[in-house]
Amino acid sequence: MLIKTIGHYFIFLGSLLNNRESFKTYYKLVLEECVLVGIGSIFLVALVATFMGAVTTVQTAYNMVSPLIPDYVISQVVREMTVLELAPTVIGIIFAGKVGSSMAGNLGTMKITEQIDALEVMGINSISYLVLPKIIASMLMYPLLVIIAGVCSLVGGYLVGTLTNIITPSDYIFGIRFVFQEFSIFFALIKSVVFAFLVSSISSYKGYYTRGGALEVGIASTQAVTSSVIAILLADYLLAQLLLGGS
Amino acid sequence: MIEIKNISKSFNDKQILNGISGTFHKGKPNLIIGASGTGKSVLLKCIVGLIKPDEGEVFYDDRNFTKADRNLKVEIRREIGMLFQGGALFDSKNVQDNVMFPLNILTKMSPEEKLERVNFCLKRVSLENVNKKMPSELSGGMKKRVGIARAIVNNPQYLFCDEPNSGLDPQTSILIDDLIGDLTEDLDITTIVVTHDMNSVIGIGENILFLYKGKKLWEGSNKDITHSGVEELDDFVFANKVMNSMRDK
């Protein structure tokens, strides 16, 4: 059953590139999706990331019981956690919950109200027309959201750390810069592109093949989030093993 | 003209359509009628290619649609207009954008030409000054009319209507029927209407195909339908109290 579903998913992905419409058509659709996917998610992403950074700072400080460990290690830990895991992966899960469920619900509703059939009858490849812009927009916008999340997380950590006297501003800034590896940023961005593809394609797949009524649209949205989260976690491990495993 | 030959379709071992053949003529409304669950909509979806039949072939003016390659299928589909049961209007677009959609995708008309064509089609279905309304702001009858306007905007050669009267009051139903009949005649197109509404049958049923449990039991016109001699068709036709009272007379 799982193998059949995975096979069907790959056939679905193959259909994305068949019988495409003009570049101008996709250009407009991608821009519209960028607004929905990106601009529409900024507030939630920024809010979650800020609190994530703040909580990480407090909890790291709470666990630093040895007086031999300098304070700047707190912000160093916040930086590493944020860049390597919290910004791309945890925000990816938030992204799956917000954008993935919305994509599945949107396509599922279009399916059960015959809007997708209407496109097909017009001779339009509905998968390519509806799904390709969502995937492209997600792959363009999610890395930007991850960058915003990273900045907000570090700022959140800074604000809480300095305002509650956990760490001095200079120690926090020093820790953020200390032994910084630029590759971490590239790694986070590679992860974000992969996660965006997984969330948008899996959610679209679940929504596109919805059958039935309102109940099934709800089920498709839930399955979209669940499957996307599982895919993110698996891809997270594989990418870490592939790109960081040898170092 | 559309010709179907020996169309069969099953879902999970349940036979829905069983060897249906028929011819749908140009310039007059062709009706597929039958009780709920007899496979009318499935047959319509087989004809337009939304469902692949297990057996049989569909010909659009002698072009074999079932065995056509992707390019020919797209070419034929771009000659099709379809009105769906619920209208199938795009929720995110207003009336004007819904009707203009096929022109945006399928033609290279200028924005002014497109707007002119959209307004012409909306006027044709007696809808004016609703261009900026969203589908959620329209009544059921208006949605159907916008659906018809969208279906005819690109000058189709073939028009398909799936239950155009479902959920409408009798007066609006008659309006929609008349509109479909007039458009078919004026545009000289091949129209297939799926319905179980006897008003439509009597009003516009010039060529009728009656389905019963997935089989074609009768084919004829509205003039012959009341004396077909087919028991199942009589049960369907005279289930309506008005029709039944006519039968008694």
Side-chain angles (χ1 to χ4, degrees):
Chain A
M1 182 67 185
L2 179 67
I3 290 172
K4 193 179 166 188
T5 307
I6 292 171
H8 197 217
Y9 167 71
F10 279 106
I11 293 171
F12 170 80
L13 292 182
S15 311
L16 285 172
L17 303 175
N18 290 337
N19 184 29
R20 295 183 305 276
E21 300 306 322
S22 65
F23 175 78
K24 194 180 153 194
T25 306
Y26 286 107
Y27 177 73
K28 275 185 182 173
L29 290 169
V30 168
L31 284 184
E32 283 171 17
E33 289 294 338
C34 281
V35 173
L36 283 174
V37 168
I39 311 293
S41 305
I42 285 179
F43 175 72
L44 183 65
V45 164
L47 187 74
V48 171
T50 306
F51 278 90
M52 228 161 47
V55 171
T56 309
T57 303
V58 173
Q59 291 190 350
T60 307
Y62 174 75
N63 283 286
M64 297 275 191
V65 286
S66 169
L68 297 174
I69 301 173
D71 282 349
Y72 66 78
V73 173
I74 294 171
S75 54
Q76 193 188 355
V77 169
V78 171
R79 180 197 73 203
E80 289 301 308
M81 284 184 69
T82 296
V83 175
L84 287 176
E85 205 57 31
L86 294 178
T89 310
V90 175
I91 296 297
I93 290 167
I94 305 287
F95 187 73
K98 186 183 182 294
V99 175
S101 64
S102 160
M103 283 179 183
N106 177 9
L107 289 171
T109 306
M110 287 187 79
K111 184 76 178 181
I112 64 163
T113 55
E114 297 179 310
Q115 293 174 49
I116 287 179
D117 286 348
L119 287 171
E120 288 289 331
V121 168
M122 288 174 205
I124 295 164
N125 176 356
S126 58
I127 295 180
S128 176
Y129 181 81
L130 294 171
V131 178
L132 193 57
K134 292 186 196 304
I135 293 178
I136 294 172
S138 298
M139 290 171 76
L140 288 173
M141 297 311 288
Y142 186 60
L144 297 178
L145 289 174
V146 167
I147 292 169
I148 291 170
V151 172
C152 288
S153 176
L154 295 178
V155 170
Y158 175 84
L159 289 174
V160 164
T162 53
L163 291 174
T164 57
N165 294 323
I166 288 172
I167 185 171
T168 62
S170 56
D171 274 351
Y172 192 90
I173 300 295
F174 180 78
I176 279 180
R177 291 174 166 183
F178 186 66
V179 206
F180 176 64
Q181 290 179 298
E182 289 88 350
F183 181 72
S184 300
I185 300 288
F186 289 112
F187 179 60
L189 292 178
I190 290 167
K191 284 198 334 182
S192 66
V193 172
V194 173
F195 295 168
F197 174 78
L198 289 172
V199 170
S200 54
S201 61
I202 290 171
S203 302
S204 299
Y205 170 76
K206 290 287 179 187
Y208 188 87
Y209 289 105
T210 303
R211 284 170 193 272
L215 179 68
E216 284 76 12
V217 173
I219 291 170
S221 293
T222 310
Q223 284 180 345
V225 177
T226 313
S227 305
S228 298
V229 169
I230 292 169
I232 284 176
L233 296 175
L234 278 173
D236 190 29
Y237 169 71
L238 288 173
L239 286 171
Q241 191 67 49
L242 277 171
L243 299 173
L244 304 178
S247 58
Chain B
M1 186 181 78
I2 296 171
E3 202 178 352
I4 55 172
K5 289 182 182 171
N6 201 28
I7 300 283
S8 296
K9 181 69 192 175
S10 301
F11 290 113
N12 301 327
D13 299 330
K14 192 185 174 195
Q15 185 98 26
I16 306 296
L17 300 174
N18 192 353
I20 296 175
S21 299
T23 304
F24 304 101
H25 303 283
K26 199 175 178 183
K28 59 182 180 182
N30 301 274
L31 268 60
I32 299 172
I33 64 167
S36 298
T38 50
K40 303 184 298 290
S41 293
V42 174
L43 178 60
L44 191 74
K45 286 183 178 177
C46 284
I47 295 172
V48 297
L50 288 173
I51 294 176
K52 196 177 178 208
D54 298 333
E55 281 177 50
E57 290 172 327
V58 179
F59 292 87
Y60 284 77
D61 291 314
D62 298 327
R63 292 174 294 175
N64 190 332
F65 184 65
T66 316
K67 289 185 178 166
D69 59 20
R70 176 174 279 278
N71 290 339
L72 180 58
K73 269 192 178 157
V74 170
E75 186 188 312
I76 293 174
R77 279 187 166 170
R78 294 191 170 184
E79 295 171 7
I80 288 176
M82 185 159 176
L83 170 65
F84 288 85
Q85 203 167 343
L89 301 180
F90 302 120
D91 299 327
S92 56
K93 297 182 191 296
N94 63 26
V95 168
Q96 181 175 303
D97 291 343
N98 259 288
V99 180
M100 200 182 278
F101 183 80
L103 301 178
N104 287 336
I105 299 287
L106 308 175
T107 72
K108 288 179 178 166
M109 290 165 81
S110 69
E112 294 77 24
E113 287 171 324
K114 283 190 266 190
L115 186 59
E116 194 181 333
R117 177 73 188 151
V118 167
N119 287 332
F120 172 78
C121 290
L122 286 173
K123 197 175 175 185
R124 190 75 180 78
V125 297
S126 309
L127 281 177
E128 286 175 270
N129 304 319
V130 294
N131 292 39
K132 298 297 171 193
K133 281 192 187 282
M134 297 303 285
S136 57
E137 297 174 276
L138 304 175
S139 67
M142 287 166 90
K143 278 183 190 167
K144 294 272 166 117
R145 281 187 278 167
V146 174
I148 293 174
R150 187 178 68 183
I152 63 167
V153 75
N154 199 27
N155 290 316
Q157 294 301 304
Y158 314 98
L159 179 64
F160 298 92
C161 304
D162 188 7
E163 307 268 10
N165 302 325
S166 66
L168 300 182
D169 64 87
Q171 278 182 316
T172 313
S173 294
I174 291 167
L175 275 177
I176 297 283
D177 284 342
D178 290 345
L179 185 60
I180 291 169
D182 293 345
L183 286 170
T184 305
E185 207 171 302
D186 297 349
L187 304 174
D188 194 27
I189 56 178
T190 307
T191 300
I192 300 179
V193 180
V194 162
T195 186
H196 53 233
D197 182 28
M198 278 313 295
N199 285 327
S200 304
V201 173
I202 299 300
I204 57 168
E206 291 188 44
N207 179 35
I208 301 167
L209 196 146
F210 174 66
L211 294 191
Y212 182 77
K213 291 186 177 171
K215 288 183 180 171
K216 185 180 91 174
L217 280 196
W218 182 83
E219 192 171 357
S221 76
N222 50 6
K223 295 184 184 77
D224 313 318
I225 198 164
T226 50
H227 47 271
S228 65
V230 178
E231 192 184 338
E232 290 85 352
L233 179 57
D234 285 348
D235 289 345
F236 174 78
V237 170
F238 297 112
N240 182 308
K241 283 185 179 173
V242 178
M243 293 298 293
N244 206 13
S245 65
M246 284 167 63
R247 181 193 211 180
D248 295 339
K249 286 171 190 170

